[in-house]
Amino acid sequence: MNNAETKKITQRGLWFEEFELGAIYEHRPGRTVTEADNVLFTTLTMNTQALHLDAAYSENTQFGVRLVNSMFTLSTIVGLSVAQLTQGTIVANLGFSDISFPKPLFHGDTLYAETLIADKRESKSRPGEGIVTLVHTGRNQHGDVVAVATRKTLVQLRPQGESS
């Protein structure tokens, strides 16, 4: 096959039409969280919460050790979904709701994410775009749910002439 015949495939997220209601997308690989990740994220975001930074303080809490910053956990479960769902096809995040952290994440835990496609509809005000509601769930290496968040996104419809 010469260069003129070489098929090029670019990795991208899903066009609006490709999101399947009720489907659950598992995002792999997971992300093992280190102490450095937690300290860097926590200090970059000016979150001085001792639960994330102070080992001596954390020894006297019910957990006995520092916890991973829950905003890092949230950001990571969303980030784990990007390549599979929204890379190059998202227009914007419209909002997050129903965010919960049922169990803590600790240094050394591996975070896995999955996304349920909960709803979708074409935009009434933005032709060529649609609103997709994603429910992200983060689990640790034991399968325990450590985070859940609902995210509404504005996603491009398949461009005219673009094949699947």
Side-chain angles (χ1 to χ4, degrees):
M1 181 180 276
N2 65 38
N3 286 346
E5 297 173 17
T6 302
K7 181 177 181 179
K8 291 186 179 182
I9 300 170
T10 302
Q11 182 175 340
R12 64 163 170 83
L14 303 177
W15 301 119
F16 174 82
E17 296 86 348
E18 295 174 309
F19 282 95
E20 295 182 37
L21 282 178
I24 295 176
Y25 294 84
E26 294 182 330
H27 312 300
R28 301 294 185 267
R31 172 71 157 76
T32 301
V33 180
T34 68
E35 177 183 10
D37 296 328
N38 190 42
V39 171
L40 178 61
F41 183 90
T42 298
T43 56
L44 281 173
T45 58
M46 301 295 291
N47 181 341
T48 59
Q49 177 53 252
L51 282 171
H52 308 310
L53 296 173
D54 187 331
Y57 170 86
S58 296
E59 285 177 1
N60 296 313
T61 68
Q62 68 186 64
F63 303 105
V65 295
R66 287 170 289 167
L67 305 180
V68 171
N69 186 318
S70 58
M71 294 296 98
F72 177 88
T73 304
L74 175 62
S75 295
T76 304
I77 64 172
V78 170
L80 286 167
S81 76
V82 168
Q84 192 173 16
L85 298 181
T86 60
Q87 181 68 47
T89 58
I90 192 171
V91 177
N93 282 318
L94 300 177
F96 289 82
S97 63
D98 304 318
I99 300 169
S100 64
F101 303 99
K103 291 195 173 199
L105 197 65
F106 300 101
H107 301 156
D109 280 350
T110 299
L111 182 60
Y112 296 96
E114 62 190 44
T115 302
L116 167 69
I117 310 307
D119 193 29
K120 73 178 207 176
R121 68 172 177 82
E122 287 194 35
S123 174
K124 295 176 177 90
S125 61
R126 297 182 61 107
E129 298 172 356
I131 298 168
V132 180
T133 302
L134 311 167
V135 179
H136 300 291
T137 301
R139 298 177 189 276
N140 66 16
Q141 68 275 14
H142 307 295
D144 300 324
V145 174
V146 297
V148 179
T150 299
R151 175 170 69 131
K152 286 192 183 280
T153 59
L154 191 60
V155 176
Q156 298 172 44
L157 272 66
R158 184 188 315 275
Q160 295 287 354
E162 177 80 25
S163 61
S164 51

